[in-house]
Amino acid sequence: MPKDKLTAGEARRIALAAQGFGTPRPDRPIGKRQLLKLVDRLGAVQIDSVNVVSRTHYLPAFSRLGAYPRALLEEVAWGKKRPLFEYWAHEASLLPLSAQPLLRWRMQDAHDGVGVWKGVAKFLRERRDFVDRVLEEIATRGPMSASELDMGHKGQGGWWGWSEAKRAVECLFWTGELTTATRRGTFERVYGLPEKVLPAAVLAAPSPSREDAHRELYRIAARAMGVATSKDLRDYFRMPVEGAKARLAELVEDGSLQPVSVKGWRETAYVDPTAKRPRRIEARALLSPFDNLIWYRERTERMFGVRYRIEIYTPAEKRTHGYYVLPFLEGDALTARVDLKADRKAGVLVVQASHAEPWASDATPGKLAAEVKLMAGWLGLEGLRIEQRGDLAAALKDGVN
């Protein structure tokens, strides 16, 4: 039985502090050290190619640190001496190199066709000769994108219309036989052999057992979330249901997790014993739809009372709040949401719609306006345009002027 009890507000503030919203943004230029410290705190940063405002992997650091140099993320993610690497964590993600051994069990599952990886293993097995030729080509010529591999059938239907070469390199990426050497052009992944891309010390690190790796990933997730249910913890790194109950029990036994009850939460939660428990949160941030704080929509609704859904794939006439909607974090609450679009040709950040949550205050439009202006400047956009759509639009426009 849980030994500790938390109010919903206490749990929310613990979670926000764990995610990096418990301290003011730095008042000096952001360097590599602060950026890497944040990525380490979060455990993973999701990658996504949608570029309506900014590709999502740039946004979590902006939300927490402010207007940092975007090129800094590119350097630590895809530079020659990178401290990060790409793999499947929550989704496609950037992670600290120290996490590479912890995910080898997933690479092995992909190789063996366990669970969701059956199609990967089937392709690698049935097209082994072709796959080996792809590996030999990259080993001989160096890192290459799928489009540079003039091999196999071109894409038509199935697997998102991928070519045979693209299917091969993606399967090899999932099994860890290839990794991302860099990104180029329109965010195209360039594949390389791990031994040519990743530090030798990382590849030489011993592979932990599946159970040890799972326990450590749960510890990382717990530190990143502060307080979370078992489902929340599983979702962070998309952990399998099998074995989860036993791993969490072991972490409780060794003191890595502390069971708690949270008022209004139906399930038992677990708190990181080292988590800070702030009495107030003074955050102000626009959140990417793929921000770690709101990844798991069920948890977002439970913590903030906000039902948030991304509506990119919803027909325009059926959207409630817009195409690419960013929630606005004010203090310890989500008080508004804005549908943003970077019109790069016109040099303008467009607020296509803006909506207030029921608990938004008279101060919300001004605070939101300041954050939107900060984002526009960070994106290198000179102007800001507020469309008259949504119940917050008029007040937001007044706040901007």
Side-chain angles (χ1 to χ4, degrees):
M1 293 294 291
K3 297 179 181 179
D4 198 2
K5 294 183 179 181
L6 299 174
T7 66
E10 287 171 334
R12 190 165 55 248
R13 292 190 292 275
I14 288 171
L16 286 165
Q19 279 282 299
F21 292 108
T23 55
R25 288 169 173 165
D27 57 3
R28 60 185 65 183
I30 303 302
K32 188 184 297 185
R33 184 182 63 83
Q34 293 103 316
L35 183 58
L36 291 177
K37 185 177 179 181
L38 175 63
V39 176
D40 189 61
R41 173 198 285 270
L42 296 176
V45 173
Q46 186 171 336
I47 300 170
D48 192 84
S49 61
V50 176
N51 199 23
V52 178
V53 178
S54 169
R55 289 191 174 93
T56 189
H57 41 280
Y58 294 98
L59 288 170
F62 170 75
S63 299
R64 293 155 176 82
L65 301 176
Y68 74 100
R70 292 162 61 84
L72 197 60
L73 180 68
E74 295 160 11
E75 179 185 346
V76 299
W78 301 293
K80 288 186 178 180
K81 294 184 178 180
R82 76 200 65 180
L84 306 180
F85 81 108
E86 282 188 39
Y87 192 61
W88 290 91
H90 180 77
E91 292 287 339
S93 302
L94 290 168
L95 305 105
L97 283 168
S98 57
Q100 199 272 351
L102 300 177
L103 291 163
R104 289 175 189 167
W105 62 271
R106 180 165 285 163
M107 298 173 189
Q108 189 63 49
D109 279 0
H111 180 274
D112 296 343
V114 175
V116 299
W117 307 104
K118 291 179 182 177
V120 172
K122 183 174 185 288
F123 179 82
L124 292 176
R125 184 176 62 252
E126 294 180 352
R127 302 290 289 121
R128 192 68 240 182
D129 289 347
F130 175 73
V131 169
D132 286 342
R133 284 198 291 120
V134 168
L135 275 173
E136 183 179 355
E137 188 79 357
I138 292 174
T140 302
R141 296 176 56 188
M144 301 177 70
S145 65
S147 63
E148 292 174 308
L149 287 161
D150 190 18
M151 305 167 67
H153 302 300
K154 303 303 179 185
Q156 46 181 317
W159 278 42
W160 303 285
W162 283 357
S163 68
E164 205 167 25
K166 175 65 173 175
R167 291 172 66 181
V169 291
E170 279 297 305
C171 286
L172 291 166
F173 177 81
W174 286 325
T175 62
E177 295 170 81
L178 289 178
T179 190
T180 304
T182 189
R183 294 269 187 169
R184 69 162 75 113
T186 57
F187 202 55
E188 185 177 32
R189 181 185 278 150
V190 178
Y191 303 84
L193 299 178
E195 56 267 31
K196 299 285 185 68
V197 175
L198 302 179
V202 172
L203 297 177
S207 297
S209 69
R210 186 183 185 93
E211 293 76 16
D212 284 347
H214 284 197
R215 277 188 289 268
E216 187 56 28
L217 289 169
Y218 277 127
R219 288 189 189 100
I220 295 170
R223 286 195 295 269
M225 287 191 281
V227 59
T229 67
S230 60
K231 287 183 180 178
D232 299 340
L233 289 167
R234 285 208 320 270
D235 182 74
Y236 206 80
F237 287 112
R238 297 289 167 87
M239 303 295 283
V241 174
E242 184 181 357
K245 188 175 180 179
R247 300 295 82 79
L248 294 179
E250 291 158 1
L251 292 172
V252 170
E253 181 67 24
D254 73 14
S256 297
L257 295 178
Q258 178 186 347
V260 296
S261 64
V262 179
K263 187 174 182 180
W265 292 23
R266 289 181 295 177
E267 297 179 30
T268 294
Y270 300 89
V271 68
D272 168 23
T274 67
K276 295 181 179 179
R277 301 193 179 198
R279 302 175 77 173
R280 289 181 63 83
I281 294 287
E282 301 290 351
R284 190 180 74 193
L286 287 164
L287 302 174
S288 158
F290 307 106
D291 191 284
N292 305 50
L293 181 67
I294 57 173
W295 266 345
Y296 190 28
R297 307 308 192 203
E298 179 183 306
R299 184 171 189 259
T300 301
E301 189 166 356
R302 187 190 329 125
M303 281 209 310
F304 296 103
V306 170
R307 188 179 186 276
Y308 176 70
R309 299 290 185 275
I310 190 166
E311 298 180 287
I312 289 176
Y313 305 109
T314 303
E317 67 276 8
K318 295 184 179 180
R319 291 178 194 139
T320 303
H321 295 103
Y323 181 78
Y324 198 79
V325 175
L326 285 73
F328 178 55
L329 175 65
E330 179 186 352
D332 66 353
L334 298 180
T335 61
R337 52 185 105 189
V338 286
D339 180 21
L340 298 182
K341 179 181 180 180
D343 186 340
R344 296 173 179 87
K345 187 174 182 180
V348 172
L349 181 61
V350 184
V351 183
Q352 301 187 112
S354 44
H355 295 86
E357 302 298 344
W359 42 85
S361 71
D362 292 342
T364 296
K367 292 179 179 180
L368 176 56
E371 197 65 17
V372 173
K373 285 193 282 188
L374 180 68
M375 176 174 279
W378 174 65
L379 293 173
L381 302 172
E382 298 178 359
L384 190 62
R385 187 169 78 240
I386 313 295
E387 301 287 358
Q388 293 302 307
R389 189 177 302 120
D391 57 10
L392 193 59
L396 181 60
K397 192 167 188 176
D398 289 343
V400 167
N401 296 330

